[in-house]
Amino acid sequence: MYLATTGRPDAPPPRPGVRRRVSGTVLALGTVSLVTDVSSEMVTAVLPLYLVVGLGLSPLQFGLLDGLFNGATALVRLLGGHAADRGGRHKRVAGLGYALSACSRLGLLLAGGATGWIAAALAGDRLGKGIRTAPRDALITLSSPPDGLGRAFGVHRAMDTTGALLAPLAAFALLWATADAYDAVFVVSFCTGVAGVLLLVVLVPDGPAAGRASRDPRPPAAVLLAPLRSVRYRRVLGATALLGAVTVGDAFLYLLLQRRLDLAVTWFPFLPLGAAAAYLLLAVPAGRLADRIGRRRPFLYGHGALLLAYVLLLAPGPDLVVLGLVLGLLGVFYATTDGVLMALTGPLLPAGRRASGLALVQTVQALARLLAAAGFGAAWTVWGPSIALVLAVAGLVAALAGARCLLPDAPPSERPPS
């Protein structure tokens, strides 16, 4: 069981045999993320049905909106990280992001069938997520000891994923109970999002004074790029970009599974639940493993799991076995890479530039994955899904070799005791 402690980075190390506990700030942020994910993933689960079946949008229109929905966060993360570091306003900036996302659900409710207003509401949701992510992750690193960051992020991501698992079930239960009244889903989502904001205000303390950057007279662009002066940080950033450029995206893998199994469209929205369940079960063990053996190896192992998922989609075998293995491997991939990357990067940054540095890594990763998805989609269109997947396998093998050379070993402060 994970109980709250003060979680100060300068706290003395635990006695041998004593299990380190995560801080109260991490548990509070996990609770906020759980509630907020219920709010956001309820909308995500029903959105394709609402736009295509309910409003009659064409696949092209939906594709454009979906690209906006997923791509609007990339650059705004940098602004959110920079704003959070100035004066140590991590909680305030994160709260703004959570509030913006909550209000976007109300925008969907008021938009009716107007595509422009729907697009604005979706953009607002993704902008809110982009603003809050780096300040939230910076708060986790600032409230946890360096050698316990893997576990801290594992606990947070497990709580976050619990919300992602509950949300689709709640959304489709609401649609069933209200005879496909999508407005009911948007209302409940909005109320849940507001609850998440209130929980942040009440439960999450302000960031420590160590996380407050002094006023910097340089231009904002120079301040944002200041972390690049660290060689170790640049190597992590390069490895993240390299691996992100060959991570084609979950949606394509789910589409490939649907084609292989000839799965009914009504079951398609439930495919992500399998990967989310595996992620939930493995997030904390993966974080503890990263603290024990260093974060470099689990991060590479996770991309190895993704590579194996690609290969399984090409290989012959029982369809149900392939389904279970691919979803499980996706869960392994996220459990060993998402929070682990933040735990790997955080200690490389000064406390006063923590949110900005994490935001830059997240932005580079998001842009690289956006390019990977576009490239995979183009290859699928021109040569078909099998050739596109073969190219993805080859690219990931090469990227893993490059990342293995780029990623630095853990500094002495993060190495497990011998």
Side-chain angles (χ1 to χ4, degrees), residues 297-385:
R297 281 189 284 168
F299 186 67
L300 294 174
Y301 295 159
H303 285 87
L306 182 65
L307 174 64
L308 186 55
Y310 290 175
V311 172
L312 282 173
L313 286 168
L314 289 167
D319 289 343
L320 291 179
V321 173
V322 171
L323 172 66
L325 287 175
V326 169
L327 295 180
L329 288 167
L330 270 180
V332 172
F333 166 66
Y334 282 111
T336 53
T337 59
D338 183 17
V340 171
L341 176 60
M342 296 296 99
L344 173 66
T345 309
L348 304 178
L349 298 161
R353 295 283 180 260
R354 192 68 53 87
S356 301
L358 294 179
L360 185 56
V361 169
Q362 293 164 357
T363 299
V364 167
Q365 184 181 62
L367 292 175
R369 289 182 174 179
L370 189 62
L371 291 174
F376 186 84
W380 184 330
T381 302
V382 175
W383 297 303

Side-chain angles (χ1 to χ4, degrees), residues 187-337:
V187 169
V188 173
S189 174
F190 169 70
C191 294
T192 309
V194 171
V197 175
L198 294 177
L199 286 172
L200 177 78
V201 172
V202 173
L203 297 180
V204 178
D206 292 324
R212 298 173 187 171
S214 58
R215 295 288 178 179
D216 197 318
R218 293 176 297 174
V223 176
L224 287 171
L225 298 177
L228 293 175
R229 289 180 295 181
S230 166
V231 175
R232 295 172 62 82
Y233 178 81
R234 290 202 304 269
R235 292 171 67 180
V236 170
L237 194 67
T240 300
L242 195 60
L243 291 168
V246 289
T247 303
V248 300
D250 300 352
F252 284 116
L253 299 186
Y254 297 143
L255 285 171
L256 290 167
L257 282 172
Q258 192 271 337
R259 286 167 61 94
R260 176 167 181 156
L261 276 67
D262 195 22
L263 198 66
V265 175
T266 53
W267 291 103
F268 184 81
F270 293 95
L271 287 177
L273 296 183
Y279 184 11
L280 172 62
L281 292 174
L282 296 172
V284 175
R288 294 180 61 196
L289 178 67
D291 287 338
R292 186 175 300 118
I293 69 173
R295 286 122 202 187
R296 176 178 178 269
R297 281 189 284 168
F299 186 67
L300 294 174
Y301 295 159
H303 285 87
L306 182 65
L307 174 64
L308 186 55
Y310 290 175
V311 172
L312 282 173
L313 286 168
L314 289 167
D319 289 343
L320 291 179
V321 173
V322 171
L323 172 66
L325 287 175
V326 169
L327 295 180
L329 288 167
L330 270 180
V332 172
F333 166 66
Y334 282 111
T336 53
T337 59

